């Protein structure tokens, strides 16, 4: 009997942690959670009064589509480190955008690239060509890092270092 009781206590402790996480999400983004509930004809008051459980709310939040208000709010709270870690995973099917949004972003990127190509083809060879377009930023990916450009002074410094000037 004591063993059964201990098992049940562990189960409750784990559930309490999940409830705390759900409460934390609700406290951090109450408007987003409430908007998603209202879109699906539910009321947050049902959870607060005990008509529905916090577990129900957790399952509800976990299964919201990527484009929902709550998921967007959670995505906007990610730190640059979390964004970088998410971008490194490289699993677009698990991304915080829906399939339609991914396809639309790919179409926008293709149109921008075509426009850039057209401009490059119609510019005189002697004039400066524009930089290639940046791809549309996807959720979970930080801005692209700019490539370092070699200035005249840094080129001279590099040349001196290569010629043994720093020795």
């Amino acid at each position: 009997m004591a063993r059964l009781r201990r098992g049940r206590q562990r189960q409750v402790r784990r559930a309490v942690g999940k409830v705390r996480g759900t409460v934390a999400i609700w406290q951090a983004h109450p408007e987003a959670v409430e908007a998603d509930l209202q879109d699906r004809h539910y009321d947050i008051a049902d959870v607060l009064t005990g008509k529905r459980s916090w577990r129900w709310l957790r399952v509800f939040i976990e299964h919201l589509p990527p484009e929902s208000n709550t998921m967007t709010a959670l995505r906007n709270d990610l730190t640059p480190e979390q964004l970088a870690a998410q971008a490194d995973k490289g699993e677009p099917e698990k991304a915080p955008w829906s399939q339609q949004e991914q396809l639309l972003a790919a179409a926008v990127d293709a149109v921008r690239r075509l426009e850039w190509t057209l401009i490059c083809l119609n510019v005189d060879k002697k004039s400066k060509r524009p930089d290639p377009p940046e791809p549309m930023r996807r959720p979970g990916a930080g801005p692209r890092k700019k490539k370092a450009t070699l200035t005249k002074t840094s080129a001279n410094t590099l040349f001196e270092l290569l010629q043994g000037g720093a020795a």
Side-chain angles (χ1 to χ4, degrees), residues 37-57:
L37 285 168
Q38 287 175 353
D39 285 347
R40 289 150 184 89
H41 308 289
Y42 295 114
D43 191 1
I44 190 68
D46 292 345
V47 175
L48 299 175
T49 59
K51 186 176 176 185
R52 295 193 184 273
S53 67
W54 285 98
R55 179 189 178 284
W56 176 86
L57 183 61

Side-chain angles (χ1 to χ4, degrees), residues 124-140:
D124 291 335
K125 290 190 179 198
K126 294 178 182 176
S127 62
K128 186 177 184 273
R129 294 177 182 221
D131 293 332
E134 287 279 326
M136 182 181 267
R137 273 191 62 201
R138 273 49 168 197

